[in-house]
Amino acid sequence: MTRNTSAQSRHTNSTVTWLFRNHIWLFLGLAIAIFSLASPYFLTVNNISNVLTQGAFIGILAVGMTLVMIDGEIDLSVGAILALSTALAIGLQEQIGVWPAVLAGLASGAALGFLNGVITAFSGMHSFIVTLGALIGIRGIVFIYTGEDALMVQDFSYTEYAEIYLGPVSITALTFFLLALFFQWVLTSTRHGRETFAIGDNIEAAHDAGINIKRHKIINFTICGTMAAVAGILLSMRLGTAEPNAGKIWELWTIIAVVLGGTRLTGGFGSMWKTIGGVMTLAVLRNGLRLLNTPNYVELMVMGAVLILALLLDRVLSSQTEAR
Amino acid sequence: MTSTNLISGLKKSGLLVAFAVFLGAVALSTDSFLSIGNILNVLRQVSITGMIAIGTTFVVITGRLDLSVGSMLTLLTVLLVDQHNQVGPLLAIVLTLAAAVGLGAFNGLLVGYLKLNALIVTLAMLSFLQGLTLLYSGGSNVNIPNAQTTWFRFFGRSDLLGIPVPVLLFLSVGAIAAFVLTRTVFGRQVYAVGGNETASNFSGVSSARTVFWAYILSALATGFAAIILGSRVMGAQNTIGQGYELTVLAGIILGGTSMLGGSGSIWRTVLGIAMLGFIQNGLLLMGFPYYVQWLVTWVVIIIAVWIDLAGKRGRVLA
């Protein structure tokens, strides 16, 4: 909160303040500028289209994660849920047909998200523990179901759905943006959204105000699980196979993307815009580093370093705003 | 109320009773489960995760997390095995432990002194250390060529008085850690910081310094684990420690150490890790597919922690 009394200085500082508060766009702009200069292939329609698609999988997971995080919780099981929905969507096709299999994949994600939410809300355990358990257990289910082998799609027309493009924007990227926009609307313009912020900001005050905390937490975990399943279905269409290890440690990339965007782990603060920024920054970094032919380890180290820098920057900026 | 008594009774002994029932069931359905040989075998299997968990318990009691131990284990094992071939076992061990302390100090600096979020910092380190491992190894696996003759084999491959050395190391480091945690000023400070950080700062306990040292202990324990692992495998792949952070946390949580900090103990962690090991071993002996144990781990964690919480508040539902 700025405590400026002078409207004049607030006005001149508004752009700077906005950039400080949304520093992710500064990061993203900087990353795009650097890679555009460094590689002639970066700023081409083809490559941008690729970046959007590659980022969209983590992005869809991040949409659900953002809701859960604004609630002050966390979901570590999204990578495992993604793998299970991928496996079901491909594995069940032969028995029950393509679309029922896809529906079953989606339903598994919603059900597991619901389960996470119910356990978190009713047991009083921290969601970190609940979803850490789920991450281990659901991955186990995936390995048991797939028999530790990759499942292959039988009818390859299934993979054509992933090739639907709206101009340069793939259906995967489009799904991500539409979901992000929709849930941004939910966050800002519905009772569920406002109460989600209220719970994350101050759970006791929210409780005293008569907000049904359990219900909102369960809804958000269910959405998060469903989002993971949506990403899983899109992945199954894109690859045509279901690897038991699909989505392994993607929950970490997702958390990194959301936090990088500026949504706070402590809850009560965040937006889908920030998450889009975080997701795209990660995607641009990964794509750019690969275009420059940097070895894999550079990517891993840059990701780690960027995350810590983002935290430091956030610390510096928030202490500055408080001091004002 | 009877239900409250039942719950608090369950809280005190329920987990152990359930565990004993499980052990009994497995023992009845298989011949070898409760044999000395199998028990030592399980303890040897859990000695690496157990060793790490002993150190990470300090971090968890301060109310923080350490997700970087898996990547750290990889890096330290690769470093140790590679240096073993270059400068010999003794110097390699010294170097590895020094590197461990350095990495722990870095974590501790960021989380303790700079007060950055522990989850994110150690997550970033998970990624960063994976990269550092690949940078160091150039992506290739390292092996110890003189595996049969080097005295380095002592830590992972030999027995002392019929007990595997990894088990002895695990239990003795556990005993030392338990002593430090319960009988020293530092140990009390660890509980104080986890219990109420503000209060501990006001009473002159520097939470920054305590957290800093907790991370060093976590890393140092990971260094010890790397010694056992390197010696056991006599080599190191670039993914050798992947996922260890999850098992370590699962064991600590199962033991009943609270993630909120301020409570927990080394023996609880040792118990939690051992339970995971026996569950895994028992399910395998009973002929279940390997990955069923992951499913069971999920169920056991939820039930164990829920019972613990229910006992504390005297009600099942929050």
Side-chain angles (χ1 to χ4, degrees):
Chain A
M1 296 292 139
T2 50
R3 289 197 202 111
N4 274 344
T5 41
S6 142
Q8 173 82 43
S9 86
R10 194 186 307 150
H11 179 71
T12 47
N13 279 337
S14 66
T15 320
V16 181
T17 314
W18 185 86
L19 270 181
F20 266 174
R21 287 232 188 106
N22 299 278
H23 43 78
I24 189 59
W25 298 106
L26 216 64
F27 271 163
L28 182 58
L30 204 65
I32 291 177
I34 289 173
F35 288 122
S36 305
L37 290 175
S39 165
Y41 305 106
F42 180 76
L43 216 57
T44 58
V45 174
N46 249 340
N47 190 53
I48 297 297
S49 162
N50 267 337
V51 173
L52 294 181
T53 308
Q54 287 158 1
F57 291 107
I58 295 291
I60 295 171
L61 297 179
V63 167
M65 189 74 81
T66 307
L67 290 172
V68 169
M69 271 196 197
I70 291 176
D71 236 348
E73 304 285 347
I74 198 164
D75 189 347
L76 298 177
S77 66
V78 289
I81 293 179
L82 174 141
L84 184 63
S85 70
T86 308
L88 290 177
I90 286 188
L92 289 176
Q93 283 187 9
E94 241 180 304
Q95 289 106 306
I96 62 175
V98 172
W99 294 111
V102 166
L103 268 184
L106 286 176
S108 74
L112 288 168
F114 180 74
L115 182 66
N116 280 334
V118 167
I119 295 177
T120 304
F122 283 99
S123 74
M125 279 184 244
H126 195 278
S127 49
F128 186 89
I129 297 179
V130 174
T131 57
L132 176 73
L135 147 68
I136 297 170
I138 297 170
R139 187 65 73 180
I141 298 177
V142 174
F143 274 107
I144 296 167
Y145 178 70
T146 58
E148 299 167 44
D149 272 326
L151 303 176
M152 284 280 274
V153 70
Q154 299 300 315
D155 175 8
F156 271 94
S157 64
Y158 181 65
T159 57
E160 281 164 19
Y161 296 112
E163 300 303 319
I164 300 172
Y165 278 80
L166 191 78
V169 184
S170 69
I171 186 157
T172 312
L174 196 65
T175 311
F176 164 46
F177 289 119
L178 290 179
L179 285 170
L181 291 180
F182 174 71
F183 283 108
Q184 177 61 25
W185 175 79
V186 169
L187 273 178
T188 53
S189 308
T190 67
R191 188 174 155 189
H192 171 66
R194 284 194 301 273
E195 297 192 347
T196 295
F197 276 106
I199 292 168
D201 195 37
N202 188 336
I203 193 164
E204 273 153 31
H207 181 262
D208 291 344
I211 292 174
N212 186 340
I213 291 165
K214 290 189 174 73
R215 199 182 69 163
H216 291 295
K217 287 202 169 165
I218 293 171
I219 291 175
N220 283 333
F221 271 104
T222 310
I223 294 172
C224 192
T226 313
M227 289 302 107
V230 169
I233 302 293
L234 289 167
L235 188 69
S236 75
M237 286 175 175
R238 194 158 177 83
L239 299 178
T241 58
E243 283 262 357
N245 271 322
K248 199 171 179 183
I249 73 165
W250 282 20
E251 61 278 354
L252 303 188
W253 293 116
T254 307
I255 295 168
I256 289 175
V258 177
V259 171
L260 202 58
T263 295
R264 300 248 163 87
L265 268 172
T266 41
F269 182 83
S271 78
M272 291 299 164
W273 299 115
K274 291 182 190 301
T275 294
I276 293 178
V279 166
M280 282 302 126
T281 306
L282 261 193
V284 163
L285 273 177
R286 297 182 101 164
N287 172 275
L289 289 171
R290 274 177 206 171
L291 277 187
L292 296 179
N293 274 327
T294 48
N296 182 254
Y297 62 80
V298 176
E299 191 183 317
L300 290 164
M301 292 170 76
V302 168
M303 297 297 170
V306 163
L307 192 57
I308 290 182
L309 283 179
L311 271 190
L312 277 171
L313 190 67
D314 190 54
R315 165 57 39 84
V316 173
L317 292 179
S318 55
S319 63
Q320 233 176 32
T321 14
E322 260 159 46
R324 250 187 242 159
Chain B
M1 269 172 65
T2 18
S3 71
T4 317
N5 286 340
L6 184 71
I7 293 164
S8 66
L10 266 179
K11 182 212 159 192
K12 283 193 188 102
S13 56
L15 198 57
L16 282 175
V17 170
F19 186 49
V21 170
F22 171 80
L23 289 184
V26 184
L28 284 179
S29 58
T30 60
D31 301 330
S32 51
F33 185 61
L34 284 185
S35 67
I36 300 287
N38 189 53
I39 289 174
L40 286 179
N41 187 32
V42 172
L43 287 178
R44 187 170 49 67
Q45 283 165 353
V46 301
S47 60
I48 293 163
T49 38
M51 184 70 89
I52 302 174
I54 287 169
T56 309
T57 301
F58 285 87
V59 172
V60 174
I61 294 179
T62 65
R64 267 71 171 181
L65 275 171
D66 193 348
L67 291 177
S68 67
V69 289
S71 285
M72 204 183 284
L73 179 67
T74 309
L75 175 62
L76 293 175
T77 312
V78 168
L79 177 74
L80 173 64
V81 169
D82 184 61
Q83 289 299 316
H84 172 279
N85 294 342
Q86 303 198 14
V87 297
L90 184 65
L91 265 178
I93 289 173
V94 173
L95 228 128
T96 303
L97 294 180
V101 170
L103 294 173
F106 188 64
N107 273 339
L109 190 72
L110 293 175
V111 179
Y113 285 101
L114 294 178
K115 310 221 177 302
L116 300 182
N117 183 290
L119 175 71
I120 301 297
V121 165
T122 57
L123 209 54
M125 283 295 275
L126 183 155
S127 169
F128 189 82
L129 295 180
Q130 252 179 26
L132 203 58
T133 307
L134 287 168
L135 174 65
Y136 179 84
S137 70
S140 55
N141 299 333
V142 267
N143 287 302
I144 293 178
N146 55 340
Q148 296 306 319
T149 51
T150 174
W151 62 264
F152 180 58
R153 67 198 309 281
F154 168 78
F155 300 104
R157 294 192 171 189
S158 46
D159 292 354
L160 218 60
L161 307 169
I163 302 172
V165 172
V167 178
L168 291 174
L169 289 173
F170 167 42
L171 295 179
S172 41
V173 169
I176 295 169
F179 176 81
V180 170
L181 197 51
T182 53
R183 296 273 180 272
T184 66
V185 176
F186 173 72
R188 277 161 219 276
Q189 290 175 344
V190 168
Y191 282 108
V193 168
N196 188 335
E197 192 161 343
T198 320
S200 71
N201 276 329
F202 278 130
S203 46
V205 177
S206 158
S207 65
R209 202 182 59 101
T210 311
V211 170
F212 178 76
W213 281 102
Y215 274 99
I216 289 183
L217 289 183
S218 183
L220 191 62
T222 310
F224 291 143
I227 294 173
I228 300 177
L229 183 61
S231 167
R232 178 105 201 120
V233 181
M234 281 293 165
Q237 300 90 42
N238 293 305
T239 53
I240 197 166
Q242 222 173 52
Y244 269 74
E245 64 278 352
L246 298 183
T247 323
V248 164
L249 272 179
I252 293 175
I253 291 168
L254 196 56
T257 295
S258 164
M259 301 299 277
L260 299 175
S263 73
S265 67
I266 298 296
W267 79 266
R268 274 175 171 275
T269 293
V270 170
L271 184 72
I273 291 281
M275 276 169 74
L276 276 185
F278 278 105
I279 289 170
Q280 172 182 343
N281 175 265
L283 290 170
L284 283 180
L285 283 183
M286 285 163 82
F288 284 102
Y290 180 84
Y291 289 100
V292 169
Q293 53 172 282
W294 289 14
L295 194 57
V296 172
T297 303
W298 180 18
V299 177
V300 170
I301 285 178
I302 299 290
I303 292 176
V305 181
W306 197 330
I307 289 178
D308 194 38
L309 278 174
K312 276 180 191 144
R313 64 173 168 246
R315 270 183 304 126
V316 174
L317 298 181

